[in-house]
Amino acid sequence: MPVVTVSEQAPRATADDAAPRAGVRRSLAALVGLLAAAVALGVAELVAAVVGPASSPVVAVGDAAITLTPEPVKAFAIRTFGENDKIALIAGTLLVIALYALLVGLVGLRNRVLGIAGIALFGAVGVVAAVTRPSAGVGNGLPALVGTLAGVIALMALLAPLQSRTAASPAPAEEGPAPVPSEGGLAGRLRDVLGAGDRKGAGMDRRRFFLTSGVAAGVAVVAGGGGRLLQRRFDVAGDRDDLVLPRPASPAPALPRGADLARDVEGLTPLLTPNRDFYRVDTAIAVPQIRPADYRLTMTGKFDSPRTYTLQDLLDRDDVIERDITLTCVSNEVGGKLAGTARWLGVPLGALLRENGVRSDSDQLVCTSQDGMTIGAPTRSALEVEDAMLAFGMNGEPLPVEHGFPVRMLIPGLYGYVSACKWLTRIEATTFDAFDPYWVERDWAAQAPIKVFSRIDTPAPLRAFPAGRRPIAGVAWAQTRGIARVEVKVDDEDWVEAELSPEVDADLWRQWVLTYDFPAGQHAVAVRATSADGETQTDERARPFPNGASGWHSIQVIAR
Ligand SMILES: Nc1nc2c(c(=O)[nH]1)N[C@H]1C(S)=C(S)[C@@H](COP(=O)(O)O)O[C@H]1N2
Ligand SMILES: [Mo]
């Protein structure tokens, strides 16, 4: 802390000059702003531990920021930060708060009322964000409110020693480097903090500032850290561990021997993606925590006999299926990794919709998640696509919390943003005319079947490998249609057909491998796939927006 420099100012003739030089005072005021903001955020986290994690103003503001962010910026964030987009957002939010807080401290030094107003404004943003989140109650504003009060108190307490005019006598001629309290002892310190100490000179203010700062920093850290820890009691990880999954009435078709080519080819994506490696795309900063006992799935809208289901209702059904299905994100770029395959366990979606009497004049199902996301899927696909399901199991475990615990939807053949609603709590049978769900409101296509796609996993671009024979390998997908052929082109040679992993199911991606004899030098490698219904991947490049990327994946490789 630069506080020590305060006393290094030479004493001058007038009383005011006994106060620290203006520049130092301003730096300290900026620090005051930071500390006040830290106290506000820390105390808010503590209160959020009582109210619920979604009421944390940092989470709520970040959440609101995601909702309000224009689509190109959001697409940029997913592209640039990928899975870390939320970490980047939180870091960005904290940076903005820090800059704002510096300013509040500086303003507060000149004008306390303005400083307080600055914190109040900051608090108001937090309150508004927290109470307007989709699943929020009014109580969700409480953490930001109490945090704001704490921030105001901290601001006043910290500015006071900086603005003290009682230190009228000249600063002592010499000061030790450390601010040793004149009287020592707890009582003396306490009196200093409260401003009741007997003031022997300008050093007193410095000491009081130091102590108050220490207290503020301590409150921020203890309240904030403690709050975060206490918020863990809302976690449903334990309930998830305790959940017993049913055996499927219809198990996944057995994989043929040698189904997974990745066993023999280094760098190739495995056929089934472990849960911890499965890509994640959603707008949730604080992942919804739904207790199995509290879970309800409600059907509304164009149903003749809509029902509400508990999780147990779904688990106890006798038509549970298990299927291997590849899921992909519309935001996946050419060559991108936003795709994964898992063995899903759940209830057939068509059967469920029919038993609720879904009406024929519904062409869109609007799925709502616990955190207010809306995802619109074609009613027809939900009814007719084989293996469309409400999943509660993923690779032999209950759904991981980040992947939608306890229940999500899956419809093979459609991108996740129009089918794969996580933390699913409501299905409304409606029409495309009547409602634009979240992504469609942001101009993504309302209907988005998956495009034929292929990707080179190995060799890695621009990383030299020994010249000679080695595999070129990757994955290709065209869910519900299946992949019939994958071809590889090196430099100006003809397309050559690659070997495919055994056909298991049209909803599952296929791995492909081609052994190639690379002469030393730099080479261009490209791949294209053809679906079982005869569509060859177009080389026409398209960005993911608005309905999925297209174009061949091609890379430069170096053999030495
Ligand atoms: N509740 C909710 N469900 C959601 C999303 C979301 O933001 N919120 N994102 C969708 C998108 S865009 C995709 S690609 C898939 C990703 O599922 P995953 O994270 O399990 O891979 O979830 C879909 N379901
Ligand atoms: Mo997505």
Side-chain angles (χ1 to χ4, degrees):
M1 267 198 247
V3 177
V4 170
T5 60
V6 170
S7 66
E8 285 164 12
Q9 298 316 304
R12 296 249 185 91
T14 65
D16 267 6
D17 282 329
R21 196 178 48 156
V24 175
R25 243 169 41 123
R26 257 186 259 125
S27 325
L28 292 181
L31 179 67
V32 164
L34 275 185
L35 282 170
V39 167
L41 292 178
V43 168
E45 286 307 310
L46 192 60
V47 180
V50 179
V51 180
S55 68
S56 150
V58 178
V59 169
V61 169
D63 234 21
I66 292 184
T67 311
L68 299 174
T69 302
E71 199 42 53
V73 180
K74 210 175 303 193
F76 165 82
I78 292 180
R79 222 161 45 234
T80 312
F81 303 114
E83 314 264 297
N84 295 324
D85 57 348
K86 270 145 225 117
I87 297 173
L89 179 81
I90 295 274
T93 308
L94 288 176
L95 187 72
V96 170
I97 291 176
L99 291 175
Y100 180 76
L102 292 174
L103 213 77
V104 166
L106 288 172
V107 169
L109 183 66
R110 300 194 156 224
N111 183 329
R112 282 204 208 184
V113 176
L114 270 185
I116 291 167
I119 295 206
L121 180 67
F122 165 67
V125 170
V127 171
V128 169
V131 298
T132 54
R133 293 296 79 212
S135 53
V138 209
N140 280 27
L142 205 61
L145 203 66
V146 178
T148 306
L149 281 179
V152 167
I153 292 171
L155 185 78
M156 301 208 298
L158 285 161
L159 284 177
L162 288 185
Q163 292 171 316
S164 172
R165 290 276 189 264
T166 56
S169 59
E174 83 290 341
E175 275 270 2
V180 185
S182 46
E183 305 164 57
L186 195 64
R189 274 167 211 254
L190 207 68
R191 244 178 298 152
D192 283 343
V193 172
L194 299 172
D198 101 350
R199 299 170 183 281
K200 288 185 188 152
M204 284 303 272
D205 295 329
R206 200 191 66 185
R207 189 160 67 235
R208 186 173 150 207
F209 177 78
F210 232 131
L211 288 169
T212 319
S213 302
V215 170
V219 167
V221 168
V222 171
R228 297 301 299 178
L229 272 179
L230 288 172
Q231 282 174 40
R232 292 213 192 135
R233 72 197 173 83
F234 292 101
D235 286 0
V236 293
D239 306 64
R240 177 180 173 271
D241 290 345
D242 295 342
L243 194 75
V244 181
L245 292 176
R247 283 180 175 283
S250 165
L255 293 177
R257 272 164 65 84
D260 187 356
L261 303 183
R263 284 165 202 269
D264 301 320
V265 181
E266 207 184 304
L268 175 59
T269 302
L271 197 63
L272 287 168
T273 316
N275 289 351
R276 65 173 179 285
D277 298 335
F278 207 95
Y279 83 97
R280 176 185 163 199
V281 171
D282 55 58
T283 57
I285 288 195
V287 176
Q289 307 279 337
I290 307 175
R291 290 197 189 286
D294 300 337
Y295 180 78
R296 295 290 180 280
L297 172 65
T298 310
M299 317 289 258
T300 62
K302 297 176 178 292
F303 288 108
D304 286 331
S305 48
R307 286 185 50 188
T308 292
Y309 298 84
T310 64
L311 183 59
Q312 206 58 47
D313 290 339
L314 298 177
L315 295 172
D316 288 345
R317 290 174 66 100
D318 56 13
D319 58 354
V320 170
I321 56 172
E322 180 190 53
R323 297 287 183 267
D324 297 337
I325 298 170
T326 300
L327 177 64
T328 45
C329 181
V330 70
S331 296
N332 196 40
E333 302 272 347
V334 170
K337 301 253 180 188
L338 298 180
T341 298
R343 177 157 293 182
W344 307 93
L345 183 73
V347 173
L349 183 55
L352 197 83
L353 294 172
R354 280 187 204 94
E355 80 187 24
N356 283 265
V358 63
R359 294 194 200 124
S360 57
D361 60 341
S362 158
D363 63 5
Q364 178 177 232
L365 297 179
V366 173
C367 306
T368 305
S369 72
Q370 197 264 345
D371 62 337
M373 165 58 69
T374 52
I375 286 185
T379 309
R380 213 182 124 125
S381 307
L383 282 169
E384 291 175 10
V385 170
E386 212 179 321
D387 302 341
M389 66 163 98
L390 297 188
F392 38 65
M394 181 176 183
N395 289 327
E397 298 171 14
L399 279 182
V401 180
E402 310 80 53
H403 293 291
F405 182 81
V407 176
R408 77 176 305 170
M409 190 180 278
L410 290 171
I411 304 179
L414 303 177
Y415 288 117
Y417 84 104
V418 286
S419 62
C421 189
K422 305 193 272 189
W423 313 292
L424 174 71
T425 56
R426 191 162 53 138
I427 300 177
E428 181 184 359
T430 176
T431 63
F432 281 104
D433 282 343
F435 186 79
D436 282 346
Y438 183 91
W439 297 104
V440 178
E441 224 174 38
R442 287 156 180 79
D443 295 330
W444 289 82
Q447 308 237 26
I450 286 163
K451 298 180 180 177
V452 190
F453 196 98
S454 57
R455 176 179 83 205
I456 304 166
D457 288 339
T458 180
L462 299 176
R463 207 173 326 130
F465 53 83
R469 286 171 64 81
R470 62 151 296 147
I472 308 172
V475 285
W477 61 78
Q479 289 92 306
T480 69
R481 295 185 274 168
I483 291 291
R485 188 166 66 244
V486 171
E487 296 159 292
V488 178
K489 183 181 173 72
V490 180
D491 300 325
D492 293 328
E493 295 168 14
D494 291 334
W495 288 100
V496 179
E497 225 176 301
E499 179 203 342
L500 292 177
S501 58
E503 165 96 80
V504 181
D505 188 285
D507 296 339
L508 196 63
W509 58 15
R510 290 181 87 172
Q511 299 159 315
W512 56 267
V513 180
L514 177 73
T515 304
Y516 189 84
D517 195 0
F518 282 99
Q522 182 167 336
H523 305 280
V525 180
V527 64
R528 72 177 183 197
T530 301
S531 63
D533 62 357
E535 183 194 339
T536 297
Q537 218 179 319
T538 172
D539 69 335
E540 210 172 290
R541 277 267 175 165
R543 305 304 310 261
F545 185 83
N547 67 350
S550 69
W552 299 334
H553 187 206
S554 68
I555 59 172
Q556 295 291 320
V557 302
I558 302 163
R560 280 233 171 85

